[in-house]
Amino acid sequence: MSSIKLYQATTVTVLILILLLTTAVHSCPPSDRAALLAFKAALQDPYLGIFNSWTGTDCCHKWYGVSCDRGSRRVADINLRGESEDPIFEKAHRTGYMTGYISPAICKLNRLSSITVADWKNISGEIPRCITSLPFLRIIDLIGNRISGPIPYDIGRLQRLTVLNIADNAISGNLPPSLTNLRSLMHLDIRNNQITGPIPSDIGRLPMLSRALLSGNKISGLIPESIAHIYRLADLDLSRNQVSGPIPESLGISDLNLSRNSLEGNIPDVFGVRSYFTVLDLSYNRLKGSIPKSMASASYIGHLDLSYNHLCGKIPDGVPFDHLEASSFVYNDCLCGKPLKACVN
């Protein structure tokens, strides 16, 4: 072989080796690929072919719903939504449907930042207990499935968690005490499950919490006083539970829905110019006494519903009462005045 041909062959070999090494460096690690394939094996998608793109050695390249960190090429996000405007759904003219379960194999993706497996309607099984070992996890979104079992007892280990959305499932058991260790948590949505027991008394330890949606469960006990210490909390929905006792006097939240519980006592007479409610729904409880006159001094109350209680006395005049309909006050013991019948002296 001439020296020229030898040089050319050597050059080609070196280029091939460089290409192979470059591809290996820029591909996801084999361990991440194996974990994703194990995750895929536990789910069945009979209609859309969501996982058809999960082929090849590089799970960071065009695997549907998978995103990787640009630097490390580690899997950072799994985003699989069963209700989407993605062309896959538009072409099929349907929303998503999957069976199976969420495999514990995802816990091997130890750089995972978010896991979204939402609105697939028939994914069952439990939340993998090992999910609490993922130190970088910020988002857990499993809404709209048939997941059962408890919230992992050591969920509080996830110090970076900002979103916990497990609504519209069949989750049972109590709210774990460690939940109040989630100091970064901003959005908590556990609506429409089978969760029982009380709200942790130290829920006020969640300084970043802005939305707490707990409706449609079997939560019982008192509303903790400490909940009023969460200054960022703007939306609290405890409707359709079994909560009892009085309404804490210091509870002031722009969206407050405590309807369909067993709350007792008077409506706290603590409203003022700083009171601003987009929604204030206290209907279907056991509240008694009169409507506080201070409520008329609130800067804004959009939707107010006090129906189906044991309230009595005259409905205050002025805003916000002058724009409300009778349905906001019906089925009380002896309320009177506009928009109900006139009071008899």
Side-chain angles (χ1 to χ4, degrees):
M1 180 180 291
S2 68
S3 59
I4 294 176
K5 288 183 178 180
L6 178 61
Y7 174 77
Q8 290 174 336
T10 304
T11 301
V12 169
T13 302
V14 170
L15 288 173
I16 291 173
L17 287 172
I18 291 173
L19 180 62
L20 290 173
L21 287 171
T22 302
T23 302
V25 167
H26 290 282
S27 297
C28 70
S31 58
D32 280 14
R33 179 179 178 273
L36 286 174
L37 291 177
F39 167 79
K40 167 189 170 183
L43 297 169
Q44 292 78 47
D45 164 29
Y47 302 114
L48 296 174
I50 288 292
F51 297 117
N52 289 350
S53 63
W54 287 30
T55 59
T57 57
D58 187 6
C59 59
C60 296
H61 183 65
K62 294 184 178 179
W63 282 37
Y64 183 89
V66 177
S67 302
C68 297
D69 179 80
R70 289 186 177 183
S72 67
R73 306 299 289 173
R74 298 295 307 276
V75 173
D77 305 289
I78 298 174
N79 186 8
L80 300 174
R81 294 190 178 276
E83 295 182 3
S84 170
E85 296 180 359
D86 189 277
I88 291 177
F89 297 85
E90 293 181 0
K91 184 177 180 181
H93 302 290
R94 63 169 299 136
T95 57
Y97 178 87
M98 278 196 208
T99 57
Y101 63 96
I102 298 175
S103 170
I106 62 165
C107 302
K108 296 179 180 178
L109 301 170
N110 55 22
R111 300 293 297 189
L112 199 63
S113 175
S114 70
I115 170 74
T116 298
V117 184
D119 295 313
W120 293 101
K121 303 175 182 66
N122 209 31
I123 294 176
S124 56
E126 297 190 359
I127 301 171
R129 303 289 178 90
C130 59
I131 204 170
T132 62
S133 68
L134 296 174
F136 299 98
L137 201 57
R138 296 180 183 274
I139 296 173
I140 299 175
D141 187 351
L142 306 177
I143 187 175
N145 291 292
R146 290 181 56 204
I147 296 169
S148 58
I151 299 171
Y153 74 94
D154 55 348
I155 191 78
R157 294 174 62 190
L158 299 174
Q159 290 296 298
R160 289 180 170 87
L161 196 68
T162 61
V163 174
L164 177 58
N165 187 354
I166 53 174
D168 301 328
N169 278 286
I171 305 293
S172 59
N174 291 4
L175 290 171
S178 75
L179 184 76
T180 61
N181 292 332
L182 298 174
R183 308 305 296 275
S184 300
L185 191 66
M186 301 170 67
H187 180 98
L188 174 63
D189 191 348
I190 61 170
R191 291 172 295 169
N192 303 324
N193 280 286
Q194 299 170 20
I195 294 170
T196 55
I199 300 169
S201 61
D202 59 346
I203 194 171
R205 296 176 61 217
L206 300 176
M208 305 301 292
L209 191 65
S210 61
R211 300 190 77 196
L213 309 178
L214 290 72
S215 63
N217 284 284
K218 299 175 182 177
I219 295 171
S220 57
L222 306 177
I223 300 175
E225 292 280 351
S226 71
I227 206 166
H229 301 156
I230 310 175
Y231 298 112
R232 297 175 186 266
L233 188 61
D235 190 351
L236 175 62
D237 189 351
L238 279 171
S239 62
R240 295 181 292 119
N241 277 290
Q242 299 169 11
V243 179
S244 58
I247 300 173
E249 289 193 359
S250 52
L251 198 60
I253 295 162
S254 62
D255 279 18
L256 180 60
N257 190 344
L258 305 179
S259 64
R260 297 180 186 271
N261 279 286
S262 299
L263 295 169
E264 300 173 329
N266 295 349
I267 299 173
D269 191 4
V270 292
F271 296 85
V273 292
R274 297 180 62 185
S275 302
Y276 185 101
F277 290 92
T278 307
V279 173
L280 179 57
D281 192 343
L282 307 179
S283 61
Y284 290 91
N285 278 289
R286 301 172 184 172
L287 300 171
K288 61 182 182 178
S290 60
I291 299 173
K293 292 182 179 180
S294 64
M295 196 176 282
S297 65
S299 62
Y300 179 77
I301 298 180
H303 173 78
L304 174 66
D305 194 345
L306 304 177
S307 62
Y308 292 89
N309 278 287
H310 299 289
L311 300 173
C312 205
K314 186 179 184 299
I315 297 171
D317 297 322
V319 179
F321 304 100
D322 53 6
H323 74 268
L324 297 174
E325 298 181 359
S327 58
S328 295
F329 306 102
V330 294
Y331 293 99
N332 275 284
D333 287 0
C334 49
L335 282 179
C336 60
K338 291 183 179 180
L340 300 180
K341 65 182 180 179
C343 296
V344 178
N345 293 331

